[in-house]
């Protein structure tokens, strides 16, 4: 195949700055890897658009995302862009795409990166992946909970056998195919839950166990979420692939990002069986927006994840090759440390760090 259409949504805050870097990297890699063509279709969506027009994502943009081979997103949302009921406008884009395109698995790699000072003292290298169930769990009802006379509020957790099975299968599939990993050679999926307290989490675990029963080539592991937060700090090298319900996955993946250098480095993918959306784990960072200060690494590594996903999906060596070239070029810039942004202690602008990644790509990283 090797010929893909990508819907790009730069979005708000630092989104356009980091997307600009990512698109230049994408353009450059297609010039380096024979047989890879990517046509990028940019769309205006997000909180700024909502402020201007009252609509965060027009229907034609949704249709373009649905029709594209992949979606590449910068950052959507601004803290004060809210509907009258208090909901953030970013849900009109991110949640809409997640639910309508059934992007049921949120995938966040967590790995020690060269040149990035370790957050945790004296630890072995970290290399695991968090797979978060993205469309069910405690966030399923979103603003649909109840509030009785301002005295009592409830939300309902939703766990289905089908949703849990699908996300568990993605986790076991990832454990099976991670290239050259895990570092200790043990392929393992850890189910994170609170099965000892809530029957919904016990159900999540029982469905996970059914998938594990059918995956004899990969070890299974169970950890309660409270213990998980301690293990992520004290023995993170234990983990390979971790799967969790929506809210738990949200929390443990942010903690995970903090243990390997922070949000500016954390790539992420939201995938389903038919569609994939790739964006950094961080938000629009309005505090540094418009000043060319943002670290483009998470965005560039998310772009590499997109090419990797396309490559796996279409059995396309060119896309897989492009993904590993981007990854290697980015890691080289981080390891070198002379062209990194302020969050990593450097003095480079977002653009300059992007240029260093392009140069590393040219040099074959
Ligand atoms: P959201 O709720 O939209 O996910 P958030 O509350 O997690 O957003 P972010 O926008 O991710 O907040 O920003 C959190 C902090 O991390 C801010 O201080 C921001 O400047 C910093 N930050 C986020 N992304 C980057 C980046 N790419 N480069 C440098 N700093 C960043």
């Amino acid at each position: 195949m090797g010929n893909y259409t990508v819907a790009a949504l730069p979005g708000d805050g630092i989104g356009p700055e980091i997307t600009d870097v990512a698109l230049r990297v994408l353009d450059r890699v297609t010039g380096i890897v024979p047989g890879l063509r990517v046509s990028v279709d940019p769309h205006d969506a997000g909180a700024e658009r909502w402020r201007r027009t009252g609509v965060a994502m027009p229907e034609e943009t949704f249709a373009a995302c649905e029709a594209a081979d992949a979606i590449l997103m910068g950052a959507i949302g601004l803290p004060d862009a809210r509907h009258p009921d208090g909901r953030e406008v970013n849900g009109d884009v991110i949640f809409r795409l997640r639910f309508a395109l059934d992007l049921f698995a949120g995938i966040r790699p967590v790995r020690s990166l060269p040149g990035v000072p370790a957050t945790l003292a004296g630890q072995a290298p970290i290399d695991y992946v968090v797979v978060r169930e993205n469309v069910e769990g405690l966030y399923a009802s979103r603003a649909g909970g109840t509030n009785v006379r301002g005295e009592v509020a409830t939300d309902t957790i939703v766990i289905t056998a089908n949703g849990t099975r699908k996300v568990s299968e993605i986790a076991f599939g990832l454990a099976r195919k991670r290239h050259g990993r895990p570092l200790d050679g043990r392929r393992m999926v850890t189910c994170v839950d609170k099965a000892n307290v809530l029957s919904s989490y016990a159900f999540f675990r029982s469905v996970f166990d059914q998938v594990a029963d059918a995956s004899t080539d990969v070890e299974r592991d169970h950890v309660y979420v409270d213990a998980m937060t301690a293990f992520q700090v004290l023995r993170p090298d234990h983990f390979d692939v971790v799967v969790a319900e929506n809210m738990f996955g949200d929390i443990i993946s942010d903690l995970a990002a903090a243990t390997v250098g922070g949000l500016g480095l954390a790539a992420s993918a939201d995938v389903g069986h038919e569609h994939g959306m790739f964006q950094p784990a961080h938000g629009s960072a309005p505090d540094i927006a418009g000043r060319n200060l943002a670290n483009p690494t998470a965005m560039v590594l998310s772009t590499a994840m997109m090419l990797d996903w396309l490559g796996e999906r279409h059995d396309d060596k060119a896309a897989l090759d492009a993904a590993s070239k981007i990854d290697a070029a980015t890691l080289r810039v981080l390891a070198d440390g002379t062209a990194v942004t302020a969050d990593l202690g450097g003095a480079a602008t977002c653009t300059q760090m992007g240029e260093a990644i392009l140069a590393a790509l040219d040099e074959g990283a």
Side-chain angles (χ1 to χ4, degrees):
M1 167 134 185
N3 197 351
Y4 305 104
T5 56
V6 170
L9 276 53
D12 304 302
I14 60 171
E17 300 165 44
I18 56 175
T19 305
D20 183 59
V21 171
L23 295 184
R24 290 173 65 199
V25 167
L26 193 54
D27 183 58
R28 186 68 59 93
V29 85
T30 55
I32 293 173
V33 176
L36 178 67
R37 301 241 316 263
V38 181
S39 67
V40 177
D41 191 11
H43 294 273
D44 179 20
E48 291 290 358
R49 189 185 194 285
W50 176 79
R51 275 193 185 133
R52 277 198 325 279
T53 66
V55 177
M57 179 170 63
E59 285 311 308
E60 56 269 28
T61 298
F62 175 76
C65 290
E66 191 174 25
D69 292 303
I71 304 162
L72 191 59
M73 183 182 276
I76 300 284
L78 293 169
D80 54 347
R82 288 173 189 267
H83 291 293
D85 62 5
R87 279 177 306 123
E88 280 190 53
V89 161
N90 60 5
D92 298 7
V93 182
I94 299 174
F95 290 137
R96 168 113 195 258
L97 289 167
R98 265 189 204 154
F99 283 87
L101 303 183
D102 197 23
L103 306 174
F104 60 84
I107 298 177
R108 293 198 184 170
V110 189
R111 58 178 170 158
S112 310
L113 292 166
V116 177
T119 314
L120 304 171
Q123 291 293 344
I126 300 173
D127 190 343
Y128 62 96
V129 181
V130 176
V131 181
R132 163 186 171 188
E133 201 296 319
N134 247 351
V135 294
E136 302 189 343
L138 195 51
Y139 294 167
S141 63
R142 294 178 57 203
T146 63
N147 182 318
V148 182
R149 298 185 304 275
E151 296 287 343
V152 179
T154 65
D155 285 290
T156 305
I157 186 165
V158 177
I159 305 288
T160 71
N162 188 39
T164 308
R165 190 176 307 116
K166 285 195 313 186
V167 77
S168 300
E169 284 169 355
I170 290 264
F172 278 92
L174 263 177
R176 218 165 268 131
K177 78 167 209 294
R178 294 213 303 147
H179 314 291
R181 294 177 226 152
L183 297 174
D184 64 3
R186 277 174 73 191
R187 299 192 178 278
M188 181 176 72
V189 181
T190 303
C191 176
V192 173
D193 55 51
K194 199 65 186 162
N196 53 337
V197 175
L198 293 184
S199 60
S200 50
Y201 286 119
F203 181 61
F204 186 92
R205 181 182 286 209
S206 71
V207 177
F208 166 86
D209 279 337
Q210 288 165 20
V211 177
D213 287 343
S215 311
T216 48
D217 53 335
V218 178
E219 276 181 58
R220 88 186 67 181
D221 182 39
H222 301 110
V223 176
Y224 296 131
V225 69
D226 41 351
M228 181 69 190
T229 58
F231 290 154
Q232 284 179 279
V233 174
L234 298 173
R235 42 182 284 223
D237 51 313
H238 169 75
F239 299 107
D240 178 11
V241 176
V242 172
V243 65
E245 171 272 335
N246 201 340
M247 183 182 71
F248 286 168
D250 186 16
I251 295 168
I252 64 175
S253 55
D254 266 26
L255 170 57
T259 62
V260 287
L263 284 173
L265 302 166
S268 128
D270 290 334
V271 302
H273 290 319
E274 304 298 330
H275 299 276
M277 180 164 88
F278 302 81
Q279 64 176 132
H282 60 73
S284 60
D287 53 334
I288 56 167
R291 294 157 58 198
N292 206 6
L293 290 175
N295 184 343
T297 302
M299 182 72 197
V300 172
L301 293 179
S302 301
T303 308
M305 285 182 81
M306 176 184 81
L307 289 167
D308 192 65
W309 180 78
L310 287 168
E312 291 284 348
R313 188 171 160 73
H314 300 284
D315 197 15
D316 176 7
K317 286 204 168 52
L320 293 172
D321 187 27
S324 52
K325 281 188 158 46
I326 293 176
D327 204 68
T330 310
L331 262 52
R332 183 162 146 193
V333 171
L334 289 170
D336 174 71
T338 55
V340 298
T341 44
D343 57 315
L344 297 178
T349 61
C350 179
T351 314
Q352 286 165 342
M353 190 164 177
E355 275 157 9
I357 296 170
L358 293 174
L361 264 179
D362 287 342
E363 287 160 21

